[in-house]
């Protein structure tokens, strides 16, 4: 899991498949999507988090069976540490069983989110 996140120039790097990590409604505080779930870790004063929220909400509305869950990183430090979240926004793409199949740090583009969902569904 280490080594993922924004490059020094601020560009977004997308990590590959995370083996063994699995999240459910108990950890997320919300139900998983029928086909996939977009989990966004945000913080209060994070401008890119607002833009990321809009992108993920739009994608979840376009693709049937997709849920968008936003988590306040500051309020869920134990989960942040367990998942090695080092910056906000960080987006995890979960498959229908709650397995983390993709992760990205930084503000994602809509096309990249849709492409990542292809691995989850």
């Amino acid at each position: 899991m280490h080594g993922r996140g924004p490059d020094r120039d601020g560009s977004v790097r997308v990590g590959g498949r995370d083996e063994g990590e699995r999240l459910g409604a108990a950890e997320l505080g919300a139900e998983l999507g029928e086909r996939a779930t977009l989990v966004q870790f945000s913080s209060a004063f994070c401008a890119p988090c607002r833009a990321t929220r809009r992108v993920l909400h739009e994608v979840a509305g376009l693709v049937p069976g997709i849920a968008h869950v936003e988590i306040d990183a500051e309020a869920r430090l134990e989960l942040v540490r367990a998942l090695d979240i080092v910056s906000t926004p960080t987006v995890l793409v979960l498959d229908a069983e709650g397995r983390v199949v993709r992760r990205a740090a930084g503000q994602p583009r809509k096309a990249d989110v849709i492409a990542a969902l292809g691995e989850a569904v």
Side-chain angles (χ1 to χ4, degrees):
M1 263 197 295
H2 296 288
R4 295 189 193 130
D7 285 337
R8 289 199 182 274
D9 65 3
S11 63
V12 176
R13 287 178 34 210
V14 177
R17 188 172 283 270
D18 287 313
E19 298 302 329
E21 289 179 328
R22 199 172 190 157
L23 301 171
E27 292 85 9
L28 299 177
E31 292 299 317
L32 292 172
E34 184 181 315
R35 296 175 65 203
T37 305
L38 300 169
V39 180
Q40 174 184 349
F41 286 86
S42 299
S43 53
F45 300 104
C46 166
C49 292
R50 290 188 291 277
T52 298
R53 180 184 311 118
R54 286 192 298 274
V55 168
L56 298 184
H57 181 75
E58 187 176 334
V59 170
L62 288 172
V63 184
I66 305 301
H68 171 220
V69 176
E70 188 170 4
I71 295 174
D72 179 349
E74 295 167 12
R76 301 290 309 276
L77 288 176
E78 186 175 309
L79 184 60
V80 164
R81 288 183 187 115
L83 294 171
D84 196 27
I85 306 295
V86 295
S87 63
T88 58
T90 292
V91 177
L92 305 180
V93 179
L94 311 182
D95 66 13
E97 281 75 48
R99 284 186 296 266
V100 178
V101 295
R102 296 290 280 180
R103 70 164 49 214
Q107 183 180 330
R109 295 179 312 155
K110 185 175 168 182
D112 293 335
V113 175
I114 292 170
L117 282 172
E119 293 185 36
V121 296

